[in-house]
Each structure stands twice: as structure tokens, then as C-alpha cells.
């Protein structure tokens, strides 16, 4: 009688790569993807990604920010074909002194930089350059929202407190300016108080823009408006808010958070709404048409 070699059944789960930056978004994505039967191979950007990902993901590797070549090799070694970006990428390091020595970019990063990002250093330019470099090795980025669309906030009031008439006017003003900022690929958030622009988000990110608004508007009571870019590419940089956004607003004196419905990711939605009620912050999710109707009413 011929003996047969007993082997473990093959892993039939599908592979998905995760290029993880800071925040809870990568964690939530990894958990959602696994629930859908995906095996998650995560590359966490060193100094940004959460240590929690090491325990959550099926495979995990730390990767320096400027080592695109190593990231490509690791994904290919794990037989990953599809990748998502999730989490904040801190770009201020690109403007620090002696950046070349701090980042120590590999050849593929230098190729990406000089081939695809010579025209400017805007967010979309840099992130699309990364995508193009990966595509040279048949590695393709997808939107994380294809896997967890429920993270997008539906329209409506998320809190018991609602904006006053003057705050609605600030929302409208901030909305129009933020959309123009997005068209120019400057930032997604703006802080307004009494129809005056207090702070505009640029490379520093939303939280630091809110903190700066608190320093400039010490009486508080300001409104934060965060919208998607008119040309938003959902593979990266989708507007995201969460617990930390509210904590920063509370510390700085913000009272209203207006976000674009069906275009903004909210992590831990119920927890965010409960905290906002506790802190007395109004959160409203709307689109441009609804904003016009609200002001008309």
C-alpha cells in the first residue's frame, strides 16, 4: 500500500497589501479585510504606523519612508498584487535639513522622485508618483473604501447640538474656500470664525491647523470645515476624521465640525458622536446642495 504525504490544506484566503501610515484607519482596514477573508500583508512606515498592526496583520514588516525599492521587493516576495494606502503620511520630513541623510532613499525612490515628481511636490503629485513606481512592477493600488465603504459618513446631523445661523454662514464660507484649496491641491480643511478665515491646512495636516487656529482665536467658538478635493482620488488622502480630531478641537476651542457626506471617512463613528455630545461640539455631514438649502431656510 502506497503511503501518501499528509500536508496542511493550502491557505485559500486572498492576499491584499497594506501600506500603512499613522492613525487608526490602517487598523480598521486590516480588521475589515480579514473579516472578508483576505490575508493582509502590511508594510508599516517606520515612525508613523501603529505597533498594533504587528499583531493584527497576517504578515508585517517595518519599512522606512524612502525605501520604495524594499517595499516593492517585500510585497512581491509575499505574492501581493493589490495594495491599499491607509493612514496619514507625515510629509514635513521632506523639508527638514539634511533630508537626504535622514531619509537615505534607495534607487527606486530616487527614480520615482526625479521621474514622476519633478514638476511640483504637491500631495497628489507625490502619491501618484509612488503609485506609478509600484505599477512598473505590476503592483496596483486600490481604494481602501472598496473594502470598507461603511466608513464613509452619510449625510445628516451626527450630534444633538446643531450649528447656529452664524455658524452655518461660517460653514458656507469655509466650504467654498476649502473646495478652491482642494482644486489647487493645498489642503482639505479650513477654520473659520465670524466669517474670517483663521487657519488653512497645508502640509502640517488638520490637527495642527486646528491647534494654530486655537492660538490665533483665543476666544474659541470657531468652525472647522473639511471636504474632499474636487478631483479626489480615493486611492489615497481621503478626508478622515476621528476621536483625535475632536480632542484637538476641544483643546483649541472649536465648536463645529462640518464634513462632506459620502466623501469623508469617520473612524469609530458612534464613539465620535458620543464624545462630541459630551464636549458640546456640533458635527454635521452634508453636501453642497444641502448646505444651500440650509442657508435658504
Amino acid at each position: 500500500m502506497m503511503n501518501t504525504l499528509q500536508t496542511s490544506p493550502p491557505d485559500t484566503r486572498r492576499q491584499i497589501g497594506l501600506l500603512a501610515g499613522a492613525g487608526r484607519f490602517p487598523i480598521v482596514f486590516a480588521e475589515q479585510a480579514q473579516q472578508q477573508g483576505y490575508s493582509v500583508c502590511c508594510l508599516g512606515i517606520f515612525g508613523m504606523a501603529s505597533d498594533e498592526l504587528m499583531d493584527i496583520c497576517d504578515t508585517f514588516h517595518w519599512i522606512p519612508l524612502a525605501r520604495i525599492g524594499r517595499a516593492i521587493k517585500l510585497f512581491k516576495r509575499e505574492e501581493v498584487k493589490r495594495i491599499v494606502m491607509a493612514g496619514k503620511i507625515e510629509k514635513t520630513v521632506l523639508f527638514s535639513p539634511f533630508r537626504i541623510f535622514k531619509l537615505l532613499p534607495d534607487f527606486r525612490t530616487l527614480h520615482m522622485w526625479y521621474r514622476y515628481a519633478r514638476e511640483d511636490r504637491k500631495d497628489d503629485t507625490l502619491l501618484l508618483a509612488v503609485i506609478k513606481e509600484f505599477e512598473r512592477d505590476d503592483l496596483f493600488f486600490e481604494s481602501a473604501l472598496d473594502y470598507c465603504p461603511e466608513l464613509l459618513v452619510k449625510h445628516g446631523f451626527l450630534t444633538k447640538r446643531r450649528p447656529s445661523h452664524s455658524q452655518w454662514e461660517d460653514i458656507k464660507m469655509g466650504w467654498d474656500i476649502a473646495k478652491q484649496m482642494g482644486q489647487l491641491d493645498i489642503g482639505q480643511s479650513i477654520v473659520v470664525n465670524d466669517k474670517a478665515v483663521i487657519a488653512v491646512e497645508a502640509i502640517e495636516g488638520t490637527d495642527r491647523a486646528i491647534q494654530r487656529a486655537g492660538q490665533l482665536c483665543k476666544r474659541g467658538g470657531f468652525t472647522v470645515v473639511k471636504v474632499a478635493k474636487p478631483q479626489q482620488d480615493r486611492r489615497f488622502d481621503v478626508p478622515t476624521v476621528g476621536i483625535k480630531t475632536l480632542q484637538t478641537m476641544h483643546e483649541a476651542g472649536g465648536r463645529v465640525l462640518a464634513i462632506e457626506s459620502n466623501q469623508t471617512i469617520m473612524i469609530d463613528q458612534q464613539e465620535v458622536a458620543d464624545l462630541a455630545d459630551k464636549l458640546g461640539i456640533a458635527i454635521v455631514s452634508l453636501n453642497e446642495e444641502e448646505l444651500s438649502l440650509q442657508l435658504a431656510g
Side-chain angles (χ1 to χ4, degrees):
M1 181 175 179
M2 184 173 62
N3 292 326
T4 57
L5 180 65
Q6 298 295 317
T7 60
S8 299
D11 187 350
T12 58
R13 288 195 296 174
R14 296 161 290 176
Q15 282 270 52
I16 188 71
L18 170 60
L19 188 59
R24 274 189 46 75
F25 186 20
I27 297 171
V28 173
F29 168 80
E31 293 172 339
Q32 292 279 357
Q34 288 175 327
Q35 290 175 14
Q36 295 173 37
Y38 287 92
S39 176
V40 180
C41 171
C42 178
L43 302 188
I45 298 178
F46 188 76
M48 300 183 194
S50 170
D51 291 344
E52 288 185 55
L53 290 164
M54 299 173 67
D55 298 323
I56 294 172
C57 299
D58 297 272
T59 56
F60 181 90
H61 304 275
W62 288 110
I63 188 78
L65 178 63
R67 301 293 176 86
I68 290 178
R70 176 163 172 74
I72 290 172
K73 288 179 181 179
L74 287 170
F75 276 138
K76 292 180 74 172
R77 189 178 77 186
E78 299 290 345
E79 299 182 344
V80 168
K81 293 293 185 182
R82 295 176 295 162
I83 310 166
V84 301
M85 290 188 201
K88 179 176 175 56
I89 305 298
E90 180 58 67
K91 294 178 284 293
T92 54
V93 66
L94 299 177
F95 301 93
S96 62
F98 309 109
R99 64 184 180 188
I100 192 72
F101 300 106
K102 292 181 179 179
L103 295 173
L104 294 176
D106 59 19
F107 174 78
R108 296 297 294 269
T109 303
L110 292 172
H111 179 274
M112 177 276 294
W113 187 264
Y114 290 106
R115 175 73 182 274
Y116 303 119
R118 294 184 67 178
E119 184 176 346
D120 59 59
R121 304 291 188 264
K122 295 178 180 178
D123 285 358
D124 284 6
T125 302
L126 292 174
L127 293 172
L128 283 171
V130 171
I131 287 174
K132 290 176 182 177
E133 192 64 32
F134 275 76
E135 286 178 347
R136 293 178 64 214
D137 284 74
D138 295 324
L139 299 174
F140 299 97
F141 281 85
E142 300 177 342
S143 171
L145 294 170
D146 293 340
Y147 300 85
C148 42
E150 67 279 0
L151 294 180
L152 288 175
V153 184
K154 305 301 181 184
H155 77 277
F157 296 100
L158 278 68
T159 53
K160 297 174 184 177
R161 185 175 179 275
R162 300 189 177 189
S164 65
H165 179 72
S166 62
Q167 288 169 337
W168 276 114
E169 292 180 332
D170 284 347
I171 292 172
K172 179 64 169 72
M173 178 182 176
W175 185 286
D176 292 341
I177 296 174
K179 281 295 183 182
Q180 294 179 56
M181 287 166 43
Q183 185 69 50
L184 297 171
D185 195 14
I186 295 173
Q188 300 168 319
S189 305
I190 191 162
V191 183
V192 181
N193 185 251
D194 196 20
K195 293 186 179 180
V197 175
I198 307 300
V200 173
E201 176 195 2
I203 196 172
E204 80 280 25
T206 302
D207 287 341
R208 292 189 188 179
I210 294 171
Q211 290 170 349
R212 188 168 70 254
Q215 296 169 357
L216 298 171
C217 182
K218 295 188 182 301
R219 70 183 184 187
F222 55 77
T223 293
V224 178
V225 180
K226 191 175 183 76
V227 300
K229 301 172 186 175
Q231 71 282 9
Q232 186 70 55
D233 188 328
R234 285 193 170 183
R235 292 176 296 177
F236 56 81
D237 208 23
V238 177
T240 304
V241 296
I243 294 290
K244 191 170 186 298
T245 310
L246 282 189
Q247 292 172 336
T248 304
M249 284 185 62
H250 177 65
E251 292 168 2
R255 295 301 303 276
V256 178
L257 174 62
I259 53 181
E260 187 168 3
S261 59
N262 298 307
Q263 297 289 341
T264 306
I265 294 170
M266 181 176 285
I267 307 297
D268 305 317
Q269 293 189 23
Q270 189 57 56
E271 291 86 342
V272 169
D274 291 344
L275 179 61
D277 282 333
K278 181 179 178 180
L279 299 177
I281 295 174
I283 305 178
V284 58
S285 174
L286 71 167
N287 58 37
E288 193 160 1
E289 180 180 352
E290 291 164 337
L291 178 56
S292 299
L293 289 174
Q294 183 67 40
L295 287 173

